[in-house]
Amino acid sequence: MGSDVAPPNTFKNPSNCLQEETSRLSKNGFKEVGSYLEKKQVQYDMAFLIVVKLFLLLKIQRELDESKFILHKTIDSILERGEKLDSLVEKSSDLSAASQV
């Protein structure tokens, strides 16, 4: 091994990498990269909005399910109350008929 061969530099200075990439890209290359990044940003923004909308839909669905449960419970209570009232009216009629005998 000769002393005139430099060992490979596996760790590069980030500012040097940036300068190398900057010098490598032409003006046209920057436009392509910028266009690509803009498209990716739009895709990420759309994906984020979809996730937010799905979250809101799931929240609304959960609230609807809770409301539906409460409504069913209320209807069941009203039906039970109606049955009790029917029973009371029947007993009242029976008592009234028995008292007239």
Side-chain angles (χ1 to χ4, degrees):
M1 292 200 164
S3 62
D4 54 335
V5 176
N9 188 1
T10 55
F11 299 104
K12 291 185 175 183
N13 185 346
S15 62
N16 288 346
C17 289
L18 180 61
Q19 287 175 349
E20 288 173 14
E21 287 300 312
T22 304
S23 64
R24 190 176 65 79
L25 292 172
S26 66
K27 191 173 189 178
N28 214 8
F30 278 123
K31 287 182 183 178
E32 290 174 12
V33 169
S35 176
Y36 173 79
L37 292 176
E38 287 174 3
K39 288 177 187 174
K40 282 296 178 188
Q41 185 62 45
V42 169
Q43 289 174 349
Y44 292 142
D45 290 346
M46 289 174 60
F48 177 75
L49 289 175
I50 290 170
V51 169
V52 168
K53 287 181 179 183
L54 286 174
F55 176 77
L56 291 174
L57 284 173
L58 289 173
K59 181 181 175 191
I60 291 169
Q61 182 65 48
R62 187 184 73 231
E63 290 172 357
L64 286 172
D65 289 342
E66 289 173 3
S67 298
K68 183 178 170 184
F69 175 77
I70 291 169
L71 183 63
H72 282 284
K73 192 173 176 182
T74 303
I75 290 171
D76 289 342
S77 297
I78 290 171
L79 291 174
E80 285 177 19
R81 182 177 176 206
E83 290 172 2
K84 288 178 183 177
L85 286 174
D86 289 343
S87 176
L88 286 174
V89 167
E90 187 178 322
K91 287 180 183 178
S92 174
S93 295
D94 290 345
L95 285 173
S96 178
S99 69
Q100 291 178 0
V101 174

